[in-house]
Amino acid sequence: MANRDVLAIGTSAGGVEALKFLASRFPADLAASVLVTIHLPRHFRSNLDAILTSAGPLPAAFAQDGESLQQRRIYLAPPERHLLIDGNRIWLGSGPRENHARPAIDPMLRSEAVCCGSRSVGVILTGALGDGAAGLLALQKCGGRTVVQDPKDAVFREMPSTALSLVNPDHVLPLADMPSLFQRLVREPAAQPIPVPLTLKYEVEIAKGSHMSMDDMDRIGRRSVLTCPDCGGTMWEINEGHLVRYRCHEGHAYASELMSMALDENLRRTLATALRVIEERVALARKLGTDAREHGRPTLANSWAIQAEELEQQARAIRSSLARIDEMVAGSQADELRTEPERAAE
């Protein structure tokens, strides 16, 4: 009988050190393929493959489109591509960003669920924001074993905390205890396959780069009143128990809290643009007022001065709004970086 031979790990902030630790503890005869998605900068040549290869006995490499999965190897999601599996092959998806990320963790875990849920293990490690929770839930529904790093043990706890709030994982434990757990889990016999929801298959196709029709999107969720922060299209609301997320016709996807942040960012960009235009109009009005005064036209000069002051009042209101948005973002980030003892002391 087949074992649980696909181990998929998702992480973000703080993840490099966590991955180095796990790579150093993997046995040379690990009876599984290891897939890793970590959020990487778009235009930065990462040497994570060399780092993980030197850390332990398993070779690590950025995945190549179409290559066959092999046990005792670590496959890394390359920048700007979703790491997916289809059968026993790698598929590098060119679909839209999810939760502001490509590669994103959710598509990897969903493809694992569709491909081989009953013989798989999904893991969420340290990271900011909430990528990975929806994918882990999908994997669990398809028979995969689910593992989440104890948030108190994580360098950045929001990603594992979000997964815990939405998924009842099979295991919650510190990073140090994971290597022995993984060895036990990958030796488990694969469970009986569970039918995969058609909507889940649709979302994997979107991550690959396929275009879904409006009817397909209506099967995934219900149309909302929100528009996509990326492309301005209609957003579909997808409800999965306590998990609410959004996806647009073009495929951009957001967890609900990330949707709120993205809308805040769009609002800030819009206000910043408006402020720039108004400041330019203030400068022009003052110049025209000066020109009118120099040409002996005091009435016109006064009119331009009044207009400049009215515009400056609008600019001050926008600056105040921008400052308030920045304060809210800074406060949210500071709250996320507080330690558990600091939270407990409040």
Side-chain angles (χ1 to χ4, degrees):
M1 184 178 293
N3 63 301
R4 292 187 179 273
D5 60 352
V6 181
L7 173 63
I9 301 172
T11 186
S12 182
V16 172
E17 290 303 316
L19 292 172
K20 283 174 60 180
F21 172 80
L22 293 179
S24 71
R25 301 299 194 278
F26 283 138
D29 61 348
L30 183 71
S33 304
V34 181
L35 308 179
V36 173
T37 290
I38 180 171
H39 297 156
L40 295 172
R42 300 185 195 181
H43 307 296
F44 178 74
R45 173 66 177 94
S46 173
N47 61 349
L48 184 59
D49 50 349
I51 291 173
L52 297 186
T53 297
S54 63
L58 303 185
F62 286 101
Q64 301 294 317
D65 194 37
E67 69 176 309
S68 298
L69 277 180
Q70 298 180 30
Q71 295 186 1
R72 299 178 291 279
R73 290 194 60 184
I74 301 172
Y75 298 88
L76 303 172
E80 286 298 292
R81 303 294 293 276
H82 295 307
L83 176 58
L84 312 171
I85 47 176
D86 188 352
N88 283 314
R89 291 192 176 275
I90 297 288
W91 188 300
L92 297 182
S94 58
R97 299 179 183 281
E98 296 200 21
N99 295 316
H100 265 327
R102 189 176 61 207
I105 300 166
D106 281 333
M108 175 184 69
L109 294 176
R110 288 193 199 103
S111 75
E112 184 186 25
V114 170
C115 159
C116 41
S118 61
R119 59 183 180 93
S120 63
V121 179
V123 185
I124 298 296
L125 301 179
T126 173
L129 304 178
D131 188 22
L136 199 68
L137 180 61
L139 182 64
Q140 186 178 64
K141 289 179 177 179
C142 293
R145 289 280 187 254
T146 52
V147 180
V148 175
Q149 184 178 8
D150 188 334
K152 295 188 294 295
D153 179 65
V155 178
F156 290 83
R157 61 183 166 271
E158 188 174 1
M159 187 178 290
S161 292
T162 302
L164 282 179
S165 70
L166 300 171
V167 184
N168 183 23
D170 299 305
H171 303 275
V172 181
L173 70 169
L175 184 69
D177 296 336
M178 287 188 179
S180 59
L181 173 66
F182 292 162
Q183 292 189 52
R184 294 199 305 273
L185 291 179
V186 299
R187 294 193 189 105
E188 284 186 0
Q192 288 297 318
I194 296 175
V196 177
L198 187 59
T199 55
L200 186 56
K201 295 179 180 179
Y202 284 160
E203 293 202 85
V204 172
E205 289 302 312
I206 291 172
K208 288 181 178 180
S210 298
H211 183 79
M212 294 291 106
S213 69
M214 303 287 276
D215 288 340
D216 290 334
M217 295 302 299
D218 286 335
R219 295 186 184 97
I220 293 174
R222 64 183 182 86
R223 301 186 197 200
S224 74
V225 298
L226 302 177
T227 57
C228 178
D230 291 290
C231 65
T234 301
M235 298 294 283
W236 275 257
E237 182 178 300
I238 304 169
N239 287 278
E240 298 172 324
H242 296 296
L243 176 63
V244 178
R245 54 195 178 89
Y246 297 88
R247 187 182 286 280
C248 78
H249 185 216
E250 293 299 317
H252 303 108
Y254 288 92
S256 55
E257 68 276 10
L258 287 171
M259 181 68 176
S260 176
M261 292 177 60
L263 292 174
D264 286 345
E265 289 177 7
N266 272 10
L267 175 60
R268 195 193 191 290
R269 284 195 294 269
T270 300
L271 288 174
T273 299
L275 178 61
R276 175 180 56 78
V277 171
I278 290 175
E279 287 177 337
E280 290 174 352
R281 291 185 63 193
V282 169
L284 178 60
R286 287 175 176 166
K287 180 182 185 305
L288 292 174
T290 299
D291 291 346
R293 190 173 294 107
E294 290 177 350
H295 288 82
R297 305 175 69 182
T299 301
L300 182 59
N302 186 57
S303 175
W304 284 118
I306 292 172
Q307 183 172 332
E309 179 55 33
E310 290 174 347
L311 290 168
E312 183 55 44
Q313 289 178 8
Q314 296 176 28
R316 284 195 291 269
I318 294 176
R319 291 191 195 101
S320 177
S321 297
L322 286 170
R324 178 57 181 154
I325 292 174
D326 291 341
E327 287 173 5
M328 291 171 60
V329 171
S332 176
Q333 292 174 340
D335 180 70
E336 173 55 29
L337 293 174
R338 283 183 300 165
T339 64
E340 290 295 330
E342 287 173 338
R343 288 175 179 267
E346 295 179 347

